[in-house]
Amino acid sequence: MVALALPCQAQILTALNVPLTQQSSANTINSDKRVLASKLAFKKVTSSYIIMPAKPSPQVKNTISARVATNWVVDVAVSGKVVSRTGEGLPGVTVILKGTSIGATTDANGNYALSVPDGGGTLIFSFVGFTTQEVPISAGGGTLNVTLFEDTKALEEVVVVGYGTQKKVSLTSAVSQVEGETLERRTTSNVQQALQGQVGGLTILDEGAAPGKENIYMRIRGITTLSGDNNPLVIVDGIEQRLTDINPTDIESISVLKDASSTAIYGSRAANGVILVTTKRAKEGKLSVSYNGYYAVQRSNNTPEHMGLEDYMRLQNIAWTNSTGSPIYTEDYIREYVNATDRLKYPLPNTWYDAVLHAAPQLENSLSISGGNETIRSRLSLRYRDQEGVIANSGAKIGEMRLNTDFAVSPKIRVTTDINYRYNNILSPIDENIVFYSMLQTSQWTVPKYPDGTYGISSDGHNPLMYSEIAGTSNTENEYILGNFKGDWEILKGLKFTTQIGARLDRTTGKNYRNRYEIRDYYKPDIIAKSVPVNNLTEIRNNMKEITINNLLNYTTTVGQHYVNVLAGYSQIQNYGGNLSAYRENFYNNDIQSIGQGANDATKSNNGNEYDWGLRSYFSRLNYSYQDKYLFEANGRLDGSSRFLGNNQYSFFPSFSAGWRISEENFWGSWLEKAVDELKLRGSWGKTGNQAVALYSGIPTLGATTYSFNDVPVRGFAQYQMANEDLTWETTTQTNIGLDAQFLKNRISFSVDYYNKITDDILLQLPIPGTIGLTAPPQNAGRVDNKGWEFLAGVRNDFGKLNLNANFNFSINKNTVVNLAGTGPYITSFGNETRWITAEGHPIETFWGYKTAGLFQTEEEIKNYPTLYSGTAPGDVKYVDLNEDGIISADDMTYLGQSFPKYNFGSNLNFSYKGFNLNLLLQGAAGAKTRIGGALIEMGIWGGFTHDIITDNYWTPEHRDARFPRPLKYDLRNFNFSDKDLMDRSYLRLKNIRLGYDIPTSITKIAGLNRVEVYVSSTNLLTFSELNEWNVDPETNDGTRTEAYPQTSVSTLGLNIQF
Amino acid sequence: MKYILFISLAATFLPSCNEDLLETIPNDRVSSEIFWQTDNDAIAAANAVYTYLPGAETIFNWDGMSDIAHITLMWRSESIIEKGSFDATIDKVNNEWDNSYKGIQTANTFLINVDKVQTKDQELIDRLKGEIKVLRAYHYIKLAMLYGDVPLITTPLSIEESRNLTRTPVAQVWDFVAQEFTDAAAVLPTTQEEKGRVTKGAALALKARAMLYASRYQEAAAAAKEVIDLNVYSLYPSYEKLFSYEAENNQEVILDNQYIEDIRGNSAFGYLAPFSQQARGEVVPTRKAVDAYQMNNGKDISDPSSGFDLMNPYANRDPRLRYSVFVVGDKLPNGETYNSLPSSGTADAIGYSENSTPTGFNIKKYVNKEDFAEPWDCGINIILMRYAEVLLIYAEAKIEANQIDQSVFDAINLVRQRPDVKMPPVTGTSQEDLRNIVRDERLRELAFEGLRYFDIRRWKTAEDILPGIIYGMTYYSNQDREFKTISLPSFVKAFNTGRDYLWPIPQKETELSPKLSQNSNW
């Protein structure tokens, strides 16, 4: 009988030590069978087949592939219904005959039907969100009804950890994993943006910026170092890379390692946490093709409203009167101007946000082909992406390819090779920063562009539209190639050797071309309104090469109820590169953009530098568990870095962790078991390092400089920086206590972590007396603490046909500078700009400035209170004399709040109903402030953008309870950095909303497609923030806001096809 | 078996261990250990010391903090000093200190190490030592003038040594400076093959300036006389062209900071020229500067018999006025006419923009039309010491020493009677008269060259002439049919007599080197 034959074969195969992997295809089984038949003919194995005529059932309409039957096997029909736990028919379930490409999808009622070659086999039923089931087919086919249960994979879930994987239940450290599928739901430019709001303890601030140049801050559990790099280490398939180097659709999963026990195995680079990315690999089976394409439109999130024309002129008159005694516009002129209809002759004060910013399209196509057999599997993915910017001459294009291939050389030897090529082209106006600067800070009173195309030039000589359109471009091309080879050899049962060699090549070429141009006055063309008489080109060539070698030896064994896993490894990284730049000017015309065509005279110049560094590491890990109940892990890494000299070159980073699965204990009574499926307590302690010190800091070197005698340049050499040969690592010691729980048949999961992270020997540019005459060397001195909580919760449930899957995360981080080695505080300041202080007892980069007590109302009040400036008058800001010494001075400045959010939260809500899927991502941050600065708040002081919020809201003798001070021309007295201009940066926003619809398979089948999904999505659709009244995005950077490429909202229409 | 073979074959691809992995030696910079071997090393190290000479903006800002000019951009820390509301933490107070000691450090390192060089040309080494001593002493003049007693450092310091520094009494600093200049002058040539290098004349002229600043008038006069007697320097015939490209390295220049466009340019044009020239006019003359220029008959404009005409205020004046200052009606580098009247409608009109002059005047010295195209990359050399100053030092030192003789008048009148200036000779008898005469002459001759700020402090006149609001031009308003005088009522220059004659020691320094005392009242 067929039903008996298969297990029987399997036993025989096992007995003969012939591999029968889960992925073994029917073909191979059959061929093995033939081989066996020849070997074991006396057992007459094949005689048990019953030969039947093929009898296609009338229900067979969803069959997509009816394989031609072999001459000795005949197809039989199998059909049935797939239902959920509640008995509802499940549409869209994929049904596949194991090891073949024969398959079908359930219809709207959960019914399926297909014909399979008789001779047994197993059907695999899989559906997103449900546990995959394998059911053997009865001989001769027939009806096979299946109940699928919601995926309670938490128990089986495997988490990627450093140099390996671990079952989630036996994890003793703080690791969060995000599936690639979750990331794909967002239309983002890069992986960082997609990760935002998904992981507790991972703060991502998306400050916007032009396509390809996104300014994104990622911090795991706060800021640990003062001067160095606070970015987490990113490892992709074992090789250090940048997150921006990954195609989001290639990601299988991302693990965020947060505590020291999970990160210590990365030693000296792990202090800021580690992000592990695993890319997708092919599964055995027929080729599957997946396409995802979308078209999106981006719009600026920062579009402040300018004050009305007449209001603005009157504000200016008051400002001039307050400063000089007389107004600048006569009443007649105001009337004439306001009533004018010809806005070419009488331009509005500032229309740049309308003129310069526009909606910009974004297009992406990605395609993947994957499949293979038991010896070779391969996945090819292609992506092309074209994103325009919201200002002229800006945009980014990415084209990339990845080929991940797996070879099974023998049952014990597996080889994988991955190749990733990426082309990235970023275009921006040469003076992109000036475009945004001049939109906000200057450029009043002109027409952006006259009807004949002439640019208007503002009174102070600017036109941001002109800068973006004709000033020139910066065009950067980056080519990135990754080759990653990996071999696994199972030497003995449980003992595996792995070697990996990865090479990264990164080459950047750039052309920054500044155009020559001349703008004539629209009304008097003989007047040159603006001229840039010389064009020039700077070309850059940067290249980097990095070779990583990892060798691992891993041994796993289970003796009775003892489980032991030992890992020993060696790793080295060698990185070298160099940069070249060349400059020439005076090209024949602006279209000639090749360096050799510029003037070959003294104006040409070039520059370059080189670098190299190396890292050599030995590491080991021990996992031990007893009865899967008591878990223990130890890690250690010895890291050597070329950045340090002598005895400081090597440093050791250990960690220990332990876990107790309380729910596995006998005392966990049945009543408890009903409610709580899993309860685990875990704790960890460990040390990690940070080697973020500039290269060669320990070696005294001379810098080159240039002087000239009689117009002949001469070279000079001098030491500029003091060397510190005693430099060593920053060390972060982290303690973590966590609790994981699953309730109500795993419908609810909850996890909480508390951590205390202390970073010692922080590399500080410790100030040294100026009398030394050299720049301070980095020294190991400071200490910073980060303490915090992380809460994660997940809910999954079905309400009839409505399926809900929701995750929530909330984290608190308290950052404190504990010790600055008797120095500091460090205050960064430039005039009246935003001022930060890093001082003991306060978070890194706390705002530092004056407190204010409203506005002075009377001369009397001014007489009786110290003022910062002579000539203070009613309507001016009252800076508080905090130390009550009778004068306002720097001594009165105080802490005004932190700039980095203390609270971060996110929630991912997923609803599916029949073919519809709705996903909402809410994200927010709180506990931080930010400054409204520059023209946005300065009330037309110089002639920049003046926000509508100021209208009728500034001090005049008639309007004493105004929010803003009296206007003053060319006088900054009311804009010293103070609490008055600091706003709460807290926000909650609907970061992403996505609605997808799966076209019923009954329709898609007609076109021979497995799945077709159309979706619409939108980012940053709704934001709650105090900053809304300023029309600035709460995530944009501090200081003079909106002075950079804005945050955008993206509306997307997309299509997913699978076949 | 074949798998063992496969593994063996695969193993051949494994890279062998790289022993040098962690021993990276930079090859894009010069390590200190291999330096100080050849004459070229000595020359290169000396060249680096020259880069610490003050640059264009620094020089112009000194006048902006004095009574004769104004810094327009209020967020600059120089502007805060101009307002007198500064303290020991301000950038400028730090930067002048730090930059001077950086220059001194580079010089000290040179002087300590240069004898390691295996040379066959001892003359070269001695000459370079002379140059570097002069450059080092140059920094000490400024430090002494700004901060008074300062640490006198002549060798490279360790962090430990720097933490234990104390301030050397200023008299000892002046002694040191005088001796250094004397020693350097003994080895330096009167002319250098490479123009721009420090000469014997530069050593002596700077000594004269230092001794004048130190009120050691005998020594100042003697040093100035030595320069005069070298017979190497003379006045350039054209004051108008003195700061132009064609006059670079002329017979009047004793020391300058040498620039070369594109390679090591300065921002003179962009920093000084009027806004209509696509520049920013960040330091502008005040009314006080303009009024200091006499009528060309030698009379002050305040003298009723001078012939000064308010309707035509810039006519018949000391020609140096219009060689130094843009006034309404002057030709601009781009060929247009300068018109700063508030109603002129040009980009230079007062109030037109934050970069338009608020006083109605712009500085003209160093504004050369060659730099119009690239206003922030100028090759014009910035003069740090010229012969006219030596003559005026000589005169002032003799007057202060009360050794008034014909040579005093000769020196002043030589300056006044440059071919394109031709002002009547001065007369006078009393020491007091002559003191005022020479002081006013310094203002007119040396305006906007970075000396006025130091002059009014050493004369202790700052307390009288500095405080108050800033005035600009007076013009006849056709609309209102009356004369109007521009003023900046919200900008008040202030001076605290008991405190401001010396800057504070930067607070960062007193914290890091606790043995450094602070100046009084700071």
Side-chain angles (χ1 to χ4, degrees), chain A residues 650-847:
Chain A
Y650 277 92
S651 194
F652 183 66
F653 303 97
S655 79
F656 303 95
S657 59
W660 177 27
R661 290 178 67 200
I662 306 169
S663 52
E664 295 295 296
E665 293 287 355
N666 293 332
F667 61 73
W668 202 256
S670 57
W671 63 273
L672 254 178
E673 253 169 36
K674 271 183 197 152
V676 184
D677 311 297
E678 168 82 19
L679 181 68
K680 181 171 69 179
L681 183 67
R682 54 187 161 75
S684 74
W685 175 91
K687 283 177 186 268
T688 50
N690 188 347
Q691 56 152 358
V693 46
L695 292 176
Y696 315 126
S697 297
I699 302 170
T701 54
L702 302 178
T705 182
T706 303
Y707 193 72
S708 66
F709 292 113
N710 203 14
D711 288 344
V712 177
V714 294
R715 189 101 83 106
F717 279 110
Q719 186 180 350
Y720 293 102
Q721 189 175 40
M722 206 168 198
N724 179 1
E725 295 177 27
D726 300 326
L727 270 189
T728 185
W729 318 75
E730 295 183 355
T731 304
T732 297
T733 309
Q734 191 177 180
T735 312
N736 189 89
I737 295 169
L739 187 78
D740 299 323
Q742 307 264 355
F743 306 96
L744 305 172
K745 297 273 171 263
N746 298 316
R747 278 194 205 113
I748 295 174
S749 61
F750 177 76
S751 140
V752 57
D753 277 276
Y754 170 78
Y755 61 89
N756 186 359
K757 197 173 170 188
I758 299 162
T759 307
D760 280 307
D761 287 343
I762 287 188
L763 294 167
L764 289 178
Q765 210 77 11
L766 214 55
I768 57 173
T771 43
I772 290 178
L774 296 171
T775 310
Q779 297 179 52
N780 297 98
R783 174 172 164 171
V784 169
D785 273 13
N786 282 284
K787 288 180 189 165
W789 292 88
E790 283 157 16
F791 303 92
L792 305 173
V795 177
R796 54 172 83 204
N797 201 11
D798 290 328
F799 304 95
K801 285 181 181 167
L802 178 70
N803 179 274
L804 164 72
N805 192 341
N807 291 305
F808 307 89
N809 66 71
F810 179 78
S811 58
I812 307 171
N813 180 272
K814 187 171 187 300
N815 176 284
T816 313
V817 177
V818 177
N819 186 346
L820 291 172
T823 68
Y826 304 114
I827 300 172
T828 51
S829 76
F830 177 73
N832 75 323
E833 294 295 320
T834 307
R835 195 179 289 110
W836 291 276
I837 188 169
T838 294
E840 290 175 3
H842 294 272
I844 289 171
E845 293 202 336
T846 298
F847 290 115

Side-chain angles (χ1 to χ4, degrees), chain A residues 179-216:
Chain A
E179 302 306 317
E181 194 189 307
T182 313
L183 303 175
E184 280 174 38
R185 289 200 194 107
R186 287 197 55 194
T187 310
T188 51
S189 305
N190 55 47
V191 182
Q192 286 117 297
Q193 285 173 332
L195 267 175
Q196 194 177 23
Q198 307 281 10
V199 179
L202 173 65
T203 305
I204 293 181
L205 292 177
D206 182 357
E207 298 192 339
K213 299 193 283 190
E214 289 83 5
N215 224 346
I216 298 171

Side-chain angles (χ1 to χ4, degrees), chain B residues 55-72:
Chain B
E57 294 184 14
T58 309
I59 291 292
F60 308 141
N61 283 337
W62 290 127
D63 286 86
M65 291 183 270
S66 80
D67 58 329
I68 62 168
H70 167 56
I71 293 160
T72 57

Side-chain angles (χ1 to χ4, degrees), chain A residues 459 610 616 702 710 770 970, chain B residues 18 28 30 74 258 352 509:
Chain A
S459 60
E610 288 178 34
R616 170 169 290 162
L702 302 178
N710 203 14
Y970 303 144
Chain B
N18 176 355
D28 65 342
V30 176
M74 264 176 275
Q258 297 233 332
Y352 182 83
E509 291 300 298

Side-chain angles (χ1 to χ4, degrees), chain A residues 888-906:
Chain A
I888 307 285
S889 67
D891 297 337
D892 293 309
M893 292 186 188
T894 187
Y895 303 95
L896 298 177
Q898 71 182 79
S899 54
F900 190 79
K902 187 174 175 186
Y903 308 99
N904 281 281
F905 33 90

